[in-house]
């Protein structure tokens, strides 16, 4: 069966996010003062062929650990939809 | 009240995603053959000060249209959590 897996990769909360800070400056210049913080990460959509949800999740977690996320600077969250 | 808003910005389905294709090559080299497609976009977390969920969503949609997403190449989805 084919599963759609979303992997969210975000900068660790302890670290500065210069890209987010730059975007926040831009939003402020556009007059959107209600936005108080911006953090920018990646969203990765995987199509996984697997016999079950659990195995699809396992494949996505392995991919995240090995390639998609850099654990020194980022954390990831995996969510599976059928 | 302060709301956490997630904005997902992904390349339009009609378009090629060269970054995703490159990552798919990498995953294939790592032996993760179960992954059949990869698409990579951005995930942006906003902290919005607003009187209601609806207004927080409105601010985030305005920010997405004006700055966060390029409508020629990308679509966006906004979701609000309290």
């Amino acid at each position: 069966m084919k599963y759609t897996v979303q992997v969210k990769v975000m900068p660790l909360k302890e670290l500065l996010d210069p890209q987010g800070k730059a975007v926040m400056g831009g939003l402020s210049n556009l007059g959107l003062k209600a936005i108080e913080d911006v953090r920018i990460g990646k969203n990765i959509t995987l199509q996984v062929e697997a016999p079950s949800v659990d195995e699809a999740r396992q494949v996505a977690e392995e991919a995240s650990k090995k390639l998609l996320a850099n654990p020194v600077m980022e954390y990831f969250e995996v969510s599976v939809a059928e």
Side-chain angles (χ1 to χ4, degrees), chain A residues 10-17 39 73-75 77:
Chain A
M10 296 298 287
L12 289 172
K13 292 191 191 359
E14 299 78 26
L15 298 181
L16 287 175
D17 174 16
R39 289 186 82 80
M73 302 178 61
E74 296 166 326
Y75 68 94
E77 288 171 19

Side-chain angles (χ1 to χ4, degrees), chain A residues 9-70:
Chain A
V9 180
M10 296 298 287
L12 289 172
K13 292 191 191 359
E14 299 78 26
L15 298 181
L16 287 175
D17 174 16
Q19 196 186 358
K21 285 281 163 291
V23 165
M24 207 169 123
L27 291 171
S28 176
N29 289 340
L30 286 171
L32 291 159
K33 310 279 186 196
I35 297 173
E36 297 181 348
D37 192 40
V38 181
R39 289 186 82 80
I40 301 185
K42 284 174 286 184
N43 188 76
I44 302 158
T45 305
L46 306 172
Q47 300 292 336
V48 183
E49 180 66 43
S52 71
V53 175
D54 282 351
E55 289 185 58
R57 177 184 297 275
Q58 243 170 29
V59 168
E61 283 181 356
E62 192 183 346
S64 302
K65 279 181 201 150
K66 285 190 177 166
L67 188 69
L68 304 178
N70 170 6

